[in-house]
Amino acid sequence: MKSYVRKLCMGICLMVLCVGMTALAAEDTILKGVKIGEVDVSGMTRQEAVKALEAYEAQLGEKTIRLGIGDETVEASLSSFGISYTNEEVVEEALGIGRTGNIVKRYKDQKDLQHGGKEYALSWSADKARIKAYVEENCTQFDREAQNASLSRSNGQFDFVAGKQGLVLDVDGSVQIILDYLENRWSADAESEVLELKTKITEPEGSAEELAYVQDLLGSFTTSFSTSSANRCKNLNSGAEHINGTVLYPGEGFSTYEKVQPFTEANGYAMAGSYLNGEVVDSMGGGICQVSTTLYNAVLRAELEVTERSPHSMTVHYVELSEDAAIAGTYKDFKFVNNTKYPIYIEGFTTSDKKITFNIYGKETRDSNRSISFESVMVSKVGGNTVLRESAGQPIGYKSASKASVGYVAELYKIVKVNGVETERIKINKSTYKGSDRVVTYGTAGDPTLSENLRAAIALQDEALADANLAAAAPPPAEPVPEPEPVPEG
């Protein structure tokens, strides 16, 4: 009898549980006690749970992690890396707990929920492309080049200046570090830590022992700018200051343009005369070519390797033909390489009597009985032509003429002597300098017949015929409008 009663009670309980399960199954909501990550999704429908997780994802995007780059730290929001959860199926799993499986399993799952709840973990991923873009924009700014050991010179003595290590960020390696951390080790409740990115230390070049070799004067040259304006003097002084103190190690190259630019007031320059397409114009930094020219001649005397040099468009007065070295933007530069086995030091300065000097110091390895000198040789002259032009804005009787200048072709030779006897004559360069035409301008405003005759003479480029037409003109000759004097290049 008792056995019968127990079986009856158990059957009734199972029937009640089955009815309860059926009722629960009819509701498409997550049972109480279920969390996904930090989100309590109890009682939520599928759509509500998805929205709650999306809001949680956006909230986590405001969290930050700290990235270490050498001695620097950058704080980055997770949204910068496109972080998102990847196991979207977890919502279906949450909906299914306590609703799927046989009656016993459902009963057990519900009891577990009542006692301890159920928490589903979220899996996270990040956008590799966004991580890389962030690293390149915000972390590479801390890259720094190694500062090689150098020298300073005062009172005729050299002092050693220690170098500094450089730091370069490994972008791809750092991106992988961030990606691995976010996808495998990061959690929403993680303590704030500094995630060290991948960097490479670059060592400076040079030592006190190596730079101690820099004692001997290898080459020196001086030019004068005694007739220069105040602005041009300023430009030469600034250029010398920018170059002064440069140390070049064996095999290292030098660009004059890169060293002295930008040509701005903030960088110590002013407007002064310079050459442009064969004409003299005012430009910021005008006269800087005398700096490069003086350095060029010092480099030649130190017998360093010249890799780029261009002549001016017209001749300059401060050196002989073919001894100049022009700078114009990036298409004309003076470059050379330290082809010795030891470091070199470049000293540049101007003096109160308006002279600029460059000295190049290093270790002298050339034979003491060997000497060099340089000789400029003019190959040919190119005389300026006479060109007739019309000015319809000037009256008949007006005539003005500019001065022609002679152009040259010249060569520079290095002469080597041993014990006073010439052993070599080496051509260093060949330079061409433009001449300028003599331009004669006639006014043609006035009598139509005379104007036509003058135009015909101009078309024929016949100055004598044009002058004859002027002599026959009824109106007296007009006062010529003086042409502006050309501004000297300094």
Side-chain angles (χ1 to χ4, degrees):
M1 183 66 181
K2 290 180 179 179
S3 174
Y4 173 77
V5 171
R6 280 198 301 270
K7 289 180 180 179
L8 179 62
C9 289
M10 184 176 291
I12 293 171
C13 287
L14 288 172
M15 288 177 63
V16 171
L17 180 62
C18 184
V19 171
M21 292 292 185
T22 303
L24 286 171
E27 298 177 13
D28 192 16
T29 58
I30 300 171
L31 296 179
K32 185 177 180 181
V34 178
K35 293 177 69 176
I36 301 177
E38 296 295 316
V39 182
D40 187 348
V41 291
S42 301
M44 293 185 183
T45 64
R46 178 185 292 103
Q47 186 176 8
E48 289 170 343
V50 169
K51 286 184 177 180
L53 290 178
E54 288 175 348
Y56 177 59
E57 181 181 274
Q59 181 183 353
L60 288 181
E62 298 176 2
K63 284 182 170 288
T64 60
I65 60 172
R66 292 186 293 163
L67 307 175
I69 308 105
D71 297 331
E72 304 291 340
T73 304
V74 172
E75 195 166 275
S77 65
L78 294 178
S79 60
S80 302
F81 305 136
I83 193 166
S84 62
Y85 72 93
T86 57
N87 53 332
E88 298 176 355
E89 68 280 359
V90 72
V91 175
E92 295 299 330
E93 293 177 18
L95 279 166
I97 190 170
R99 301 183 183 283
T100 57
N102 58 40
I103 292 174
V104 175
K105 181 180 184 303
R106 295 180 188 183
Y107 177 77
K108 182 179 181 304
D109 287 346
Q110 289 184 28
K111 285 297 182 182
D112 289 342
L113 289 176
Q114 290 172 12
H115 288 94
K118 172 70 175 178
E119 182 175 336
Y120 290 93
L122 284 171
S123 299
W124 298 96
S125 70
D127 187 327
K128 189 173 183 178
R130 289 181 65 176
I131 295 175
K132 185 171 185 179
Y134 181 90
V135 169
E136 289 178 336
E137 182 176 349
N138 297 279
C139 302
T140 56
Q141 62 178 308
F142 301 109
D143 285 4
R144 60 178 184 270
E145 292 185 2
Q147 294 181 20
N148 292 338
S150 188
L151 294 170
S152 64
R153 182 173 171 82
S154 60
N155 300 321
Q157 298 294 322
F158 286 108
D159 293 313
F160 174 72
V161 180
K164 294 181 180 179
Q165 288 182 328
L167 181 86
V168 179
L169 182 71
D170 180 344
V171 172
D172 291 335
S174 296
V175 168
Q176 195 58 49
I177 287 172
I178 297 172
L179 191 64
D180 289 344
Y181 173 75
L182 293 176
E183 294 186 345
N184 300 313
R185 295 189 290 118
W186 176 81
S187 63
D189 57 351
E191 292 289 331
S192 179
E193 63 177 303
V194 177
L195 186 63
E196 294 294 338
L197 301 188
K198 189 174 182 180
T199 58
K200 179 182 178 181
I201 299 295
T202 56
E203 295 298 333
E205 191 173 3
S207 64
E209 292 76 16
E210 188 176 8
L211 289 172
Y213 286 112
V214 180
Q215 294 292 336
D216 304 318
L217 181 62
L218 305 181
S220 177
F221 200 77
T222 299
T223 60
S224 172
F225 53 97
S226 59
T227 60
S228 294
S229 65
N231 279 357
R232 193 172 186 279
C233 293
K234 179 179 182 179
N235 294 338
L236 267 68
N237 183 64
S238 293
E241 286 182 346
H242 286 307
I243 296 171
N244 181 50
T246 299
V247 172
L248 295 180
Y249 286 86
E252 192 174 358
F254 179 90
S255 163
T256 308
Y257 176 77
E258 289 179 4
K259 200 70 175 177
V260 299
Q261 61 91 34
F263 298 114
T264 61
E265 288 186 6
N267 204 30
Y269 295 105
M271 296 292 290
S274 62
Y275 288 158
L276 177 65
N277 297 324
E279 296 182 356
V280 178
V281 298
D282 270 352
S283 67
M284 185 64 70
I288 195 67
C289 292
Q290 187 166 350
V291 175
S292 57
T293 292
T294 308
L295 179 60
Y296 173 54
N297 282 272
V299 166
L300 290 178
R301 283 150 181 80
E303 296 188 89
L304 303 178
E305 181 185 352
V306 175
T307 55
E308 183 179 333
R309 172 264 172 192
S310 300
H312 287 76
S313 57
M314 299 186 294
T315 59
V316 296
H317 70 277
Y318 42 83
V319 288
E320 299 295 327
L321 298 174
S322 285
E323 290 184 344
D324 59 319
I327 294 179
T330 56
Y331 72 94
K332 278 187 179 183
D333 195 359
F334 169 51
K335 297 179 181 180
F336 63 93
V337 172
N338 176 11
N339 58 335
T340 74
K341 295 180 180 179
Y342 302 93
I344 62 170
Y345 177 91
I346 304 173
E347 179 183 45
F349 58 89
T350 59
T351 57
S352 58
D353 58 347
K354 294 189 175 181
K355 290 180 181 178
I356 179 170
T357 296
F358 280 104
N359 295 320
I360 298 176
Y361 293 90
K363 180 175 173 58
E364 184 61 84
T365 59
R366 296 171 289 186
D367 292 337
S368 59
N369 63 343
R370 176 182 176 276
S371 65
I372 60 171
S373 60
F374 294 86
E375 181 180 328
S376 171
V377 177
M378 185 180 66
V379 176
S380 62
K381 291 183 179 182
V382 180
N385 300 314
T386 295
V387 178
L388 305 188
R389 290 180 181 170
E390 171 193 358
S391 176
Q394 295 284 3
I396 294 173
Y398 168 83
K399 177 184 178 181
S400 70
S402 65
K403 293 180 180 179
S405 64
V406 178
Y408 298 92
V409 176
E411 295 174 342
L412 184 65
Y413 288 87
K414 179 170 76 173
I415 302 164
V416 180
K417 291 182 180 181
V418 178
N419 293 323
V421 179
E422 183 176 321
T423 58
E424 290 182 278
R425 180 174 286 260
I426 305 165
K427 184 166 77 172
I428 300 300
N429 69 57
K430 184 175 183 177
S431 305
T432 299
Y433 304 93
K434 296 177 182 178
S436 60
D437 292 330
R438 174 176 172 267
V439 178
V440 183
T441 304
Y442 292 93
T444 58
D447 182 87
T449 302
L450 290 174
S451 295
E452 188 63 31
N453 290 340
L454 273 174
R455 291 192 181 96
I458 293 169
L460 294 171
Q461 292 294 293
D462 189 331
E463 185 176 4
L465 180 58
D467 288 345
N469 277 282
L470 282 185
E479 282 293 324
V481 178
E483 291 290 321
E485 287 293 324
V487 180
E489 205 269 340

mmCIF file of all heavy atoms in Angstrom, residues 63-69 72-78 81 134 139 177-178 181-182 186 191-197:
data_model
loop_
_atom_site.group_PDB
_atom_site.id
_atom_site.type_symbol
_atom_site.label_atom_id
_atom_site.label_comp_id
_atom_site.label_asym_id
_atom_site.label_seq_id
_atom_site.Cartn_x
_atom_site.Cartn_y
_atom_site.Cartn_z
ATOM 1 N N LYS A 63 36.284 51.737 -22.585
ATOM 2 C CA LYS A 63 37.387 51.363 -21.710
ATOM 3 C C LYS A 63 38.715 51.579 -22.433
ATOM 4 O O LYS A 63 38.763 51.631 -23.663
ATOM 5 C CB LYS A 63 37.263 49.899 -21.287
ATOM 6 C CG LYS A 63 36.212 49.635 -20.220
ATOM 7 C CD LYS A 63 36.193 48.180 -19.845
ATOM 8 C CE LYS A 63 35.334 47.916 -18.614
ATOM 9 N NZ LYS A 63 35.957 48.402 -17.372
ATOM 10 N N THR A 64 39.778 51.692 -21.687
ATOM 11 C CA THR A 64 41.083 51.951 -22.289
ATOM 12 C C THR A 64 42.098 50.903 -21.852
ATOM 13 O O THR A 64 41.944 50.266 -20.806
ATOM 14 C CB THR A 64 41.607 53.344 -21.901
ATOM 15 O OG1 THR A 64 41.739 53.420 -20.474
ATOM 16 C CG2 THR A 64 40.676 54.437 -22.406
ATOM 17 N N ILE A 65 43.118 50.757 -22.693
ATOM 18 C CA ILE A 65 44.297 50.000 -22.307
ATOM 19 C C ILE A 65 45.503 50.905 -22.542
ATOM 20 O O ILE A 65 45.466 51.807 -23.384
ATOM 21 C CB ILE A 65 44.446 48.681 -23.099
ATOM 22 C CG1 ILE A 65 44.570 48.961 -24.607
ATOM 23 C CG2 ILE A 65 43.296 47.754 -22.819
ATOM 24 C CD1 ILE A 65 44.906 47.719 -25.401
ATOM 25 N N ARG A 66 46.546 50.657 -21.799
ATOM 26 C CA ARG A 66 47.746 51.481 -21.914
ATOM 27 C C ARG A 66 48.810 50.736 -22.697
ATOM 28 O O ARG A 66 49.093 49.564 -22.426
ATOM 29 C CB ARG A 66 48.255 51.870 -20.523
ATOM 30 C CG ARG A 66 47.331 52.825 -19.797
ATOM 31 C CD ARG A 66 47.942 53.296 -18.488
ATOM 32 N NE ARG A 66 48.061 52.201 -17.524
ATOM 33 C CZ ARG A 66 48.837 52.251 -16.448
ATOM 34 N NH1 ARG A 66 49.575 53.335 -16.202
ATOM 35 N NH2 ARG A 66 48.887 51.235 -15.604
ATOM 36 N N LEU A 67 49.376 51.430 -23.671
ATOM 37 C CA LEU A 67 50.395 50.854 -24.538
ATOM 38 C C LEU A 67 51.736 51.485 -24.202
ATOM 39 O O LEU A 67 51.873 52.709 -24.156
ATOM 40 C CB LEU A 67 50.047 51.113 -26.012
ATOM 41 C CG LEU A 67 48.650 50.691 -26.465
ATOM 42 C CD1 LEU A 67 48.417 51.117 -27.909
ATOM 43 C CD2 LEU A 67 48.456 49.193 -26.301
ATOM 44 N N GLY A 68 52.736 50.666 -23.966
ATOM 45 C CA GLY A 68 54.069 51.162 -23.640
ATOM 46 C C GLY A 68 54.966 51.156 -24.863
ATOM 47 O O GLY A 68 55.085 50.145 -25.561
ATOM 48 N N ILE A 69 55.577 52.317 -25.155
ATOM 49 C CA ILE A 69 56.533 52.452 -26.252
ATOM 50 C C ILE A 69 57.817 53.015 -25.671
ATOM 51 O O ILE A 69 57.953 54.229 -25.500
ATOM 52 C CB ILE A 69 56.015 53.373 -27.382
ATOM 53 C CG1 ILE A 69 54.625 52.951 -27.840
ATOM 54 C CG2 ILE A 69 56.974 53.360 -28.564
ATOM 55 C CD1 ILE A 69 53.521 53.839 -27.371
ATOM 56 N N GLU A 72 57.634 55.875 -23.083
ATOM 57 C CA GLU A 72 56.378 56.596 -23.270
ATOM 58 C C GLU A 72 55.186 55.652 -23.109
ATOM 59 O O GLU A 72 55.303 54.432 -23.288
ATOM 60 C CB GLU A 72 56.335 57.246 -24.661
ATOM 61 C CG GLU A 72 57.486 58.176 -24.953
ATOM 62 C CD GLU A 72 57.450 59.444 -24.121
ATOM 63 O OE1 GLU A 72 56.371 59.783 -23.606
ATOM 64 O OE2 GLU A 72 58.504 60.098 -24.001
ATOM 65 N N THR A 73 54.020 56.235 -22.789
ATOM 66 C CA THR A 73 52.787 55.458 -22.642
ATOM 67 C C THR A 73 51.654 56.159 -23.379
ATOM 68 O O THR A 73 51.506 57.377 -23.280
ATOM 69 C CB THR A 73 52.408 55.303 -21.159
ATOM 70 O OG1 THR A 73 53.494 54.705 -20.452
ATOM 71 C CG2 THR A 73 51.180 54.425 -21.009
ATOM 72 N N VAL A 74 50.875 55.365 -24.096
ATOM 73 C CA VAL A 74 49.702 55.887 -24.800
ATOM 74 C C VAL A 74 48.467 55.167 -24.267
ATOM 75 O O VAL A 74 48.468 53.937 -24.126
ATOM 76 C CB VAL A 74 49.822 55.647 -26.326
ATOM 77 C CG1 VAL A 74 48.516 56.020 -27.022
ATOM 78 C CG2 VAL A 74 50.963 56.458 -26.900
ATOM 79 N N GLU A 75 47.426 55.917 -23.944
ATOM 80 C CA GLU A 75 46.175 55.327 -23.471
ATOM 81 C C GLU A 75 45.200 55.274 -24.642
ATOM 82 O O GLU A 75 44.846 56.307 -25.209
ATOM 83 C CB GLU A 75 45.598 56.137 -22.318
ATOM 84 C CG GLU A 75 44.525 55.400 -21.543
ATOM 85 C CD GLU A 75 44.204 56.069 -20.228
ATOM 86 O OE1 GLU A 75 44.903 55.822 -19.223
ATOM 87 O OE2 GLU A 75 43.237 56.868 -20.225
ATOM 88 N N ALA A 76 44.773 54.071 -25.003
ATOM 89 C CA ALA A 76 43.931 53.883 -26.190
ATOM 90 C C ALA A 76 42.593 53.278 -25.800
ATOM 91 O O ALA A 76 42.524 52.360 -24.977
ATOM 92 C CB ALA A 76 44.634 52.978 -27.189
ATOM 93 N N SER A 77 41.514 53.808 -26.377
ATOM 94 C CA SER A 77 40.189 53.242 -26.141
ATOM 95 C C SER A 77 40.028 51.968 -26.966
ATOM 96 O O SER A 77 40.578 51.837 -28.062
ATOM 97 C CB SER A 77 39.100 54.251 -26.527
ATOM 98 O OG SER A 77 39.138 54.497 -27.924
ATOM 99 N N LEU A 78 39.261 51.019 -26.423
ATOM 100 C CA LEU A 78 39.054 49.754 -27.128
ATOM 101 C C LEU A 78 38.298 49.958 -28.434
ATOM 102 O O LEU A 78 38.458 49.174 -29.371
ATOM 103 C CB LEU A 78 38.297 48.782 -26.226
ATOM 104 C CG LEU A 78 39.053 48.318 -24.974
ATOM 105 C CD1 LEU A 78 38.183 47.393 -24.149
ATOM 106 C CD2 LEU A 78 40.347 47.633 -25.351
ATOM 107 N N PHE A 81 40.197 49.951 -31.619
ATOM 108 C CA PHE A 81 40.648 48.679 -32.178
ATOM 109 C C PHE A 81 39.502 47.852 -32.738
ATOM 110 O O PHE A 81 39.711 46.701 -33.150
ATOM 111 C CB PHE A 81 41.380 47.871 -31.104
ATOM 112 C CG PHE A 81 42.524 48.618 -30.470
ATOM 113 C CD1 PHE A 81 42.719 48.586 -29.095
ATOM 114 C CD2 PHE A 81 43.388 49.375 -31.239
ATOM 115 C CE1 PHE A 81 43.776 49.278 -28.508
ATOM 116 C CE2 PHE A 81 44.440 50.071 -30.660
ATOM 117 C CZ PHE A 81 44.627 50.026 -29.297
ATOM 118 N N TYR A 134 45.831 52.701 -35.990
ATOM 119 C CA TYR A 134 46.014 53.421 -34.726
ATOM 120 C C TYR A 134 47.486 53.470 -34.340
ATOM 121 O O TYR A 134 48.009 54.524 -33.942
ATOM 122 C CB TYR A 134 45.206 52.750 -33.612
ATOM 123 C CG TYR A 134 45.343 53.469 -32.289
ATOM 124 C CD1 TYR A 134 44.467 54.485 -31.945
ATOM 125 C CD2 TYR A 134 46.374 53.152 -31.402
ATOM 126 C CE1 TYR A 134 44.599 55.174 -30.743
ATOM 127 C CE2 TYR A 134 46.521 53.840 -30.202
ATOM 128 C CZ TYR A 134 45.635 54.843 -29.873
ATOM 129 O OH TYR A 134 45.785 55.525 -28.698
ATOM 130 N N CYS A 139 51.493 55.854 -32.311
ATOM 131 C CA CYS A 139 52.619 55.255 -31.590
ATOM 132 C C CYS A 139 53.962 55.463 -32.274
ATOM 133 O O CYS A 139 54.993 55.523 -31.596
ATOM 134 C CB CYS A 139 52.372 53.765 -31.374
ATOM 135 S SG CYS A 139 50.851 53.429 -30.451
ATOM 136 N N ILE A 177 50.922 41.970 -31.044
ATOM 137 C CA ILE A 177 50.868 41.948 -29.578
ATOM 138 C C ILE A 177 49.510 42.419 -29.081
ATOM 139 O O ILE A 177 48.892 41.801 -28.197
ATOM 140 C CB ILE A 177 51.998 42.827 -28.996
ATOM 141 C CG1 ILE A 177 53.349 42.133 -29.167
ATOM 142 C CG2 ILE A 177 51.749 43.132 -27.517
ATOM 143 C CD1 ILE A 177 54.532 43.002 -28.791
ATOM 144 N N ILE A 178 49.012 43.527 -29.647
ATOM 145 C CA ILE A 178 47.706 44.065 -29.241
ATOM 146 C C ILE A 178 46.598 43.089 -29.604
ATOM 147 O O ILE A 178 45.690 42.811 -28.798
ATOM 148 C CB ILE A 178 47.458 45.432 -29.899
ATOM 149 C CG1 ILE A 178 48.492 46.455 -29.420
ATOM 150 C CG2 ILE A 178 46.044 45.921 -29.598
ATOM 151 C CD1 ILE A 178 48.440 47.771 -30.165
ATOM 152 N N TYR A 181 46.594 40.023 -27.316
ATOM 153 C CA TYR A 181 46.124 40.386 -25.979
ATOM 154 C C TYR A 181 44.610 40.514 -25.945
ATOM 155 O O TYR A 181 43.941 39.961 -25.058
ATOM 156 C CB TYR A 181 46.779 41.693 -25.540
ATOM 157 C CG TYR A 181 46.234 42.248 -24.249
ATOM 158 C CD1 TYR A 181 46.568 41.672 -23.030
ATOM 159 C CD2 TYR A 181 45.365 43.343 -24.251
ATOM 160 C CE1 TYR A 181 46.056 42.173 -21.828
ATOM 161 C CE2 TYR A 181 44.856 43.846 -23.066
ATOM 162 C CZ TYR A 181 45.195 43.264 -21.860
ATOM 163 O OH TYR A 181 44.686 43.754 -20.683
ATOM 164 N N LEU A 182 44.040 41.242 -26.888
ATOM 165 C CA LEU A 182 42.597 41.479 -26.889
ATOM 166 C C LEU A 182 41.805 40.201 -27.133
ATOM 167 O O LEU A 182 40.720 40.019 -26.564
ATOM 168 C CB LEU A 182 42.231 42.526 -27.938
ATOM 169 C CG LEU A 182 42.730 43.958 -27.674
ATOM 170 C CD1 LEU A 182 42.381 44.868 -28.836
ATOM 171 C CD2 LEU A 182 42.148 44.502 -26.375
ATOM 172 N N TRP A 186 42.671 39.470 -22.694
ATOM 173 C CA TRP A 186 41.910 40.592 -22.134
ATOM 174 C C TRP A 186 40.557 40.133 -21.626
ATOM 175 O O TRP A 186 39.898 39.258 -22.203
ATOM 176 C CB TRP A 186 41.724 41.664 -23.196
ATOM 177 C CG TRP A 186 40.872 42.811 -22.727
ATOM 178 C CD1 TRP A 186 41.246 43.874 -21.972
ATOM 179 C CD2 TRP A 186 39.469 42.975 -22.969
ATOM 180 N NE1 TRP A 186 40.192 44.699 -21.727
ATOM 181 C CE2 TRP A 186 39.089 44.172 -22.319
ATOM 182 C CE3 TRP A 186 38.509 42.223 -23.649
ATOM 183 C CZ2 TRP A 186 37.778 44.634 -22.351
ATOM 184 C CZ3 TRP A 186 37.214 42.688 -23.680
ATOM 185 C CH2 TRP A 186 36.858 43.889 -23.029
ATOM 186 N N GLU A 191 42.466 44.146 -14.623
ATOM 187 C CA GLU A 191 43.145 45.291 -14.021
ATOM 188 C C GLU A 191 43.911 46.053 -15.100
ATOM 189 O O GLU A 191 44.414 45.467 -16.053
ATOM 190 C CB GLU A 191 44.110 44.811 -12.938
ATOM 191 C CG GLU A 191 43.450 44.224 -11.712
ATOM 192 C CD GLU A 191 42.744 45.272 -10.864
ATOM 193 O OE1 GLU A 191 43.208 46.428 -10.890
ATOM 194 O OE2 GLU A 191 41.746 44.935 -10.210
ATOM 195 N N SER A 192 43.983 47.366 -14.919
ATOM 196 C CA SER A 192 44.715 48.173 -15.896
ATOM 197 C C SER A 192 46.195 47.817 -15.848
ATOM 198 O O SER A 192 46.806 47.756 -14.786
ATOM 199 C CB SER A 192 44.536 49.656 -15.579
ATOM 200 O OG SER A 192 45.255 50.447 -16.491
ATOM 201 N N GLU A 193 46.778 47.551 -17.002
ATOM 202 C CA GLU A 193 48.189 47.214 -17.096
ATOM 203 C C GLU A 193 48.777 47.893 -18.329
ATOM 204 O O GLU A 193 48.049 48.362 -19.207
ATOM 205 C CB GLU A 193 48.385 45.700 -17.189
ATOM 206 C CG GLU A 193 47.754 45.074 -18.441
ATOM 207 C CD GLU A 193 48.044 43.581 -18.537
ATOM 208 O OE1 GLU A 193 49.235 43.218 -18.533
ATOM 209 O OE2 GLU A 193 47.078 42.810 -18.635
ATOM 210 N N VAL A 194 50.091 47.968 -18.378
ATOM 211 C CA VAL A 194 50.764 48.545 -19.539
ATOM 212 C C VAL A 194 51.174 47.409 -20.465
ATOM 213 O O VAL A 194 51.928 46.516 -20.072
ATOM 214 C CB VAL A 194 51.995 49.365 -19.122
ATOM 215 C CG1 VAL A 194 52.722 49.892 -20.362
ATOM 216 C CG2 VAL A 194 51.584 50.521 -18.219
ATOM 217 N N LEU A 195 50.650 47.442 -21.665
ATOM 218 C CA LEU A 195 50.976 46.437 -22.669
ATOM 219 C C LEU A 195 52.175 46.942 -23.464
ATOM 220 O O LEU A 195 52.067 47.898 -24.226
ATOM 221 C CB LEU A 195 49.768 46.217 -23.587
ATOM 222 C CG LEU A 195 49.871 45.088 -24.613
ATOM 223 C CD1 LEU A 195 49.998 43.740 -23.905
ATOM 224 C CD2 LEU A 195 48.647 45.091 -25.525
ATOM 225 N N GLU A 196 53.325 46.327 -23.264
ATOM 226 C CA GLU A 196 54.549 46.786 -23.902
ATOM 227 C C GLU A 196 54.572 46.395 -25.382
ATOM 228 O O GLU A 196 54.467 45.220 -25.729
ATOM 229 C CB GLU A 196 55.773 46.201 -23.202
ATOM 230 C CG GLU A 196 55.967 46.693 -21.772
ATOM 231 C CD GLU A 196 56.279 48.182 -21.702
ATOM 232 O OE1 GLU A 196 56.742 48.739 -22.722
ATOM 233 O OE2 GLU A 196 56.069 48.780 -20.629
ATOM 234 N N LEU A 197 54.713 47.398 -26.250
ATOM 235 C CA LEU A 197 54.795 47.137 -27.676
ATOM 236 C C LEU A 197 56.224 46.783 -28.071
ATOM 237 O O LEU A 197 57.166 46.964 -27.304
ATOM 238 C CB LEU A 197 54.306 48.361 -28.459
ATOM 239 C CG LEU A 197 52.873 48.810 -28.167
ATOM 240 C CD1 LEU A 197 52.444 49.896 -29.139
ATOM 241 C CD2 LEU A 197 51.896 47.631 -28.219
#
